[in-house]
Amino acid sequence: MRTFDDILQIAAERHGGRDAALAEIPAPLPPEEIAALPDARFLAAMARGIFQAGISWKVVDAKWPGITEAFHDFEPGPVSMIEGEALDALLSDRRVIRSGPKITAIRDNAVFILDTAAEHGSFARRIADWPVSEFDGLLDWLKRSGARLGGNTGAYMLRAVGKDGYVLSRDVVGRLIAEGVIDKAPTSRRAMAAVQGAFNLWAEQSGQPLTTISRVLARSIG
């Protein structure tokens, strides 16, 4: 397995230098800043990811103001009570993307957020306190406890709120395969543990956050 610096050099050669390979990569937020975010911010990020799955992101962007209004600014309390007539109304509301499974998943995630907040003080606190060195466990928890947060939806949600971590895009997976970390897109806990181990090693070598490492891995391929 190459060192992070070796992979950064590959990305630099593909993109016109090290500065270009590292350009426009946002720094993750410190844990206390994440903990201070309102839980509505997390539900909104979940909803955007759920709605974007399988359709043009531009469509979601265009509808987003109406979606936000229809979903009570993503306050988990009101959203958690969307059922019966309220659910029927949303299913016919032209402001939103009228997919029953996606709408109910957002409602279910509001319940998930409220349940987590009841145990940990806030959903934001739970996310902030999760060790970056165990990011694979965080992704697994979101997948198993939330609704439609598997694949890369959970990872993109975490990136949107500033949590340090990686997104296993096609290019990132391509680099991990090239380095012998995995032999295909990871789906098992064992494969995800191998991915986490590689990211932890590259973080130790470079002092870079996982977000930066993830973006550099992608740029070494794409």
Side-chain angles (χ1 to χ4, degrees), residues 21-110:
L22 292 167
E24 299 180 0
I25 301 177
L29 295 180
E32 287 309 309
E33 289 189 29
I34 294 175
L37 295 173
D39 285 349
R41 175 79 176 275
F42 292 85
L43 184 57
M46 290 176 186
R48 185 180 281 274
I50 289 168
F51 277 132
Q52 286 174 337
I55 68 172
S56 168
W57 290 20
K58 290 183 179 180
V59 171
V60 178
D61 288 343
K63 284 182 167 287
W64 193 247
I67 290 171
T68 300
E69 184 179 21
F71 279 90
H72 309 287
D73 293 324
F74 294 107
E75 290 296 333
V79 176
S80 72
M81 295 185 287
I82 294 175
E83 56 186 20
E85 292 183 359
L87 178 58
D88 291 340
L90 266 185
L91 290 171
S92 61
D93 192 329
R94 292 184 178 275
R95 293 175 297 174
V96 306
I97 295 163
R98 290 170 288 175
S99 164
K102 291 185 177 185
I103 289 172
T104 55
I106 294 165
R107 188 268 316 277
D108 292 346
N109 282 327

Side-chain angles (χ1 to χ4, degrees), residues 149-170:
L149 297 178
N152 279 329
T153 302
Y156 276 120
M157 180 276 290
L158 294 169
R159 179 170 286 179
V161 300
K163 177 71 175 179
D164 190 22
Y166 45 80
V167 173
L168 295 177
S169 66
R170 181 177 60 184

